[in-house]
Each structure stands twice: as C-alpha cells, then as structure tokens.
C-alpha cells in the first residue's frame, strides 16, 4: 500500500492574486503557510478487477472514464493510467473540505504523489504543483488560483510570485526562530462551523478581473501590496503589524463580494477584536470556514471565542510538503 500526505494551508497575505485572470496582467504575490493538518491518500493495486474509490462517497466504476470524482478521474487520465482496472484509492482528511484551508489542492497533490509512486517514480515538488494546477485549472476549468497546489507540494512558510507567463517562483521565508515561536503562540484559528465551495466567490472575482473591472483590479493591487508588507513584517519579526495588515486585508476581501461575509461572521469578528485580537480575517475565499487572528491577549481571545461556541484548531507550521509516508 502507498500512502501520501499533503498539508493544508493558511494564507498569510496577498491571497487572491494567484488567479490567472489577475497575474497574467499584473503579476501576483502571496505568502502561505503549510500547517500540521493533512489530507491522506492511500492506493493499492488489487487482485479483483474494477476500481474501488473511498472518499466522502464510495464508487465502484469498471473503467477510469466512468469515475464520478473529477480530480481522481482526470489525474489518472493525465498520468496515462486510463487503462488501470484493478485499483483501490482511499482519501481521508483531518479537516472537512470546504473550510478555506486548500483541501482540494492538498488532495490533488497527495493523489498525484501516490500515483507516481505506484510505478516507482518520483516527482519534484515544483513539477507536482504544476501538474496539480494543470488538472484543476486546465482540465477541469476550476476558477481557482495556484497557491493551494504550490504550498501543499512545498510546505513551510513560503512566498510565491505568480508571473505573467504562468510560471511560479517560490521562496521559503527566512524568519527567525523567535518570530516562528511568536507566530505559533499568538495566532489562533477558529472554525465557524460552516463549509462552502470557493468556486462561486472566486468565479465572481475571476469574471471581474477578466473584464478589467477597475474596482476589482485596484482591490487586488492593494491586496498584493499588503502581501509585500506582510513579508517585510515577518522578516522584521513585527507580527503585531501583520495583525493590523490582516484587518485591512479582511476589509478589502469583503469589498470583493457580498458573499464574502455575513452578519454572524461579522459578529464573531467584532467579538474577537474586542477580546484581545490585533487583527484577523476569514481564511480562504470567504463565506465560511475558519477565522484567523493574531492576538496580544491569547487567553482572553480563546475564552471569548470558545464562549461563542467556536472550536479552535492549533496553528503549527508543517515544514514538509507532500510526502510519502508508506510505500
């Protein structure tokens, strides 16, 4: 049995500038952090003919082209495995899908890593990320960006530049041990209890960017600038400044779409800001998922959010990207 593991991620700054509709015109930049919450994919060839797929559903298709799960189907076809007729694939995750932590990109990279290992092949992280992007963006036409696949493949705390020609430059952010300790001790993340598909919100942004909507482009230009400011704050060890930047970033995100927030999310956010948070935002495309905060009074913030019924998920850096844990 082969088992591959990919980390989930949080966007640290610059999120949204990784969509082709933006970076092909302006170049994008963002920071992302892989966390110690994962998607796992196991696979093995079986003695009995037919495919057995276990995820949130169970499929037993006779042929690859009959697979209903689009990423599994297209990944097998992309790798020339359309003739595979005796294979079992299982996926489980530490966090539910649709929570803004990039689970789709993590699933795709873990699946591809395992499939390459099926015949004893390896694949470098950058190539793995590009292959995952090709499946989700090109083959399936999802209106998403490239950050999820890249941070899942590479791990760590990483800055990404998305060039106009579609290439991606990745650079591990050289923060001090003290800054990393500060980040993990004073960054809190809470589950809103709501899941959603990022596609609708991102599709709205994508359409506006492609139409060269001045308001949307100006919004993303500012978000990119905040991404650079965030990088500088991390390099200086000034995470309180990052908290302030997140607050501005959140206001900019809400202006992109009316579906980004709702009265309940706004109320939780206001509670956090009155209970020790320096700043924060909703992770991912919006509408649900996780609220992320940097706090100067961690105990007070934790107590307030738990009192509001929100479960906390620890924010711990995962320095590894997609990896094989059994083969």
């Amino acid at each position: 049995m082969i088992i591959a593991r990919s980390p989930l991620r949080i966007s640290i700054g610059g999120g949204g500038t990784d969509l082709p509709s933006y970076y092909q015109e302006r170049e994008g930049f963002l920071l992302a952090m892989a966390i110690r919450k994962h998607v796992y994919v196991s696979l093995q060839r079986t003695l009995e003919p037919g495919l057995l797929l276990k995820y949130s559903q169970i499929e037993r298709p006779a042929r690859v082209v009959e697979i209903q799960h689009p990423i599994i189907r297209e990944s097998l076809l992309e790798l020339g495995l359309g003739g595979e007729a005796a294979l079992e694939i299982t996926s489980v995750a530490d966090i539910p899908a649709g929570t803004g932590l990039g689970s789709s990109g993590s699933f795709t990279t873990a699946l591809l890593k395992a499939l390459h290992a099926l015949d004893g092949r390896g694949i470098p992280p950058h190539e793995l990320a590009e292959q995952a992007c090709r499946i989700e963006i090109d083959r399936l036409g999802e209106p998403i960006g490239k950050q999820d696949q890249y941070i899942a493949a590479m791990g760590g705390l990483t800055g990404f530049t998305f060039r106009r020609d579609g290439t991606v430059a990745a650079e591990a952010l050289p923060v001090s041990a003290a800054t990393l300790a500060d980040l993990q001790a004073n960054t809190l993340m809470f589950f809103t209890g709501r899941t959603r598909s990022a596609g609708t919100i991102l599709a709205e942004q994508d359409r506006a960017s492609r139409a060269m909507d001045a308001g949307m482009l100006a919004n993303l230009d500012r978000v990119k600038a905040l991404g650079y400011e965030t990088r500088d704050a991390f390099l200086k060890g000034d995470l309180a400044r990052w908290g302030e930047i997140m607050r501005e970033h959140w206001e900019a995100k809400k202006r992109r779409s009316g579906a980004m927030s709702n009265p309940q999310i706004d109320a939780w956010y206001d509670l956090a800001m009155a209970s020790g948070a320096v700043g924060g935002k909703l992770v991912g495309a919006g509408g649900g998922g996780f609220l992320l905060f940097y706090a100067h009074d961690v105990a007070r913030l934790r107590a307030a959010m738990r009192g509001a019924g929100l479960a906390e998920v620890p924010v711990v850096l995962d320095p590894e990207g997609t990896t094989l844990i059994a083969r």
Side-chain angles (χ1 to χ4, degrees):
M1 177 180 289
I2 295 168
I3 304 175
R5 180 185 73 191
S6 277
L8 298 172
R9 64 96 183 107
I10 55 175
S11 294
I12 299 295
T17 68
D18 60 322
L19 267 71
S21 54
Y22 179 80
Y23 68 68
Q24 287 172 355
E25 297 292 332
R26 307 280 239 253
E27 190 170 271
F29 175 81
L30 63 79
L31 294 175
M33 173 180 165
I35 62 174
R36 287 187 184 170
K37 295 295 180 182
H38 301 92
V39 174
Y40 301 84
V41 172
S42 67
L43 60 85
Q44 59 184 337
R45 287 194 169 101
T46 60
L47 297 177
E48 298 180 351
L51 296 152
L52 175 58
L53 313 177
K54 302 175 184 177
Y55 49 102
S56 58
Q57 301 179 37
I58 295 178
E59 289 190 56
R60 297 179 181 273
R63 300 182 301 156
V64 169
V65 293
E66 298 171 358
I67 294 174
Q68 295 300 305
H69 193 295
I71 292 175
I72 297 176
R73 182 185 66 243
E74 296 304 318
S75 294
L76 288 166
L77 294 175
E78 171 77 14
L79 269 61
L81 299 174
E84 286 284 351
L87 192 64
E88 179 177 333
I89 300 174
T90 302
S91 174
V92 294
D94 292 330
I95 302 289
T99 53
L101 301 184
S103 59
S104 179
S106 296
F107 171 75
T108 308
T109 53
L111 174 62
L112 289 171
K113 185 82 169 181
L115 288 172
H116 278 280
L118 190 65
D119 292 320
R121 295 173 293 169
I123 181 170
H126 196 285
E127 185 179 338
L128 176 63
E130 270 303 307
Q131 193 167 70
C133 289
R134 187 159 59 248
I135 289 166
E136 292 195 74
I137 299 172
D138 299 335
R139 295 185 73 109
L140 293 174
E142 294 290 343
I144 59 174
K146 289 188 170 185
Q147 74 153 313
D148 295 351
Q149 300 84 357
Y150 267 87
I151 190 61
M154 296 182 172
L157 178 60
T158 308
F160 298 100
T161 298
F162 303 93
R163 302 191 181 107
R164 290 179 177 86
D165 64 0
T167 59
V168 180
E171 181 180 9
L173 202 65
V175 299
S176 68
T179 298
L180 181 57
D182 181 358
L183 173 67
Q184 295 181 138
N186 296 295
T187 302
L188 304 183
M189 187 165 69
F190 301 95
F191 184 40
T192 65
R194 304 179 181 201
T195 61
R196 83 289 177 272
S197 169
T200 301
I201 295 174
L202 290 177
E204 182 180 343
Q205 175 184 321
D206 188 58
R207 285 192 298 270
S209 296
R210 291 185 186 282
M212 301 301 289
D213 179 271
M216 181 62 74
L217 292 176
N219 183 291
L220 292 170
D221 286 344
R222 181 55 186 154
V223 166
K224 180 171 65 174
L226 292 174
Y228 289 126
E229 290 182 33
T230 299
R231 178 188 62 187
D232 294 343
F234 268 73
L235 293 176
K236 293 175 182 176
D238 187 2
L239 296 192
R241 174 60 187 143
W242 171 52
E244 296 168 354
I245 292 170
M246 275 201 293
R247 188 165 54 197
E248 183 177 345
H249 188 176
W250 174 232
E251 292 302 322
K253 284 183 70 170
K254 288 196 293 183
R255 289 193 291 272
R256 282 186 223 161
S257 170
M260 192 68 67
S261 188
N262 58 54
Q264 180 61 79
I265 291 173
D266 290 341
W268 285 327
Y269 190 94
D270 292 343
L271 174 63
M273 293 304 299
S275 304
V278 177
K281 64 176 183 174
L282 201 66
V283 181
F290 285 88
L291 282 162
L292 180 75
F293 298 101
Y294 180 79
H296 60 71
D297 189 337
V298 171
R300 185 178 169 207
L301 175 59
R302 181 173 284 129
M305 301 308 278
R306 286 181 175 174
L310 301 188
E312 181 183 356
V313 171
V315 175
V316 180
L317 176 73
D318 188 336
E320 294 185 318
T322 307
T323 187
L324 295 176
I325 58 175
R327 62 181 303 171

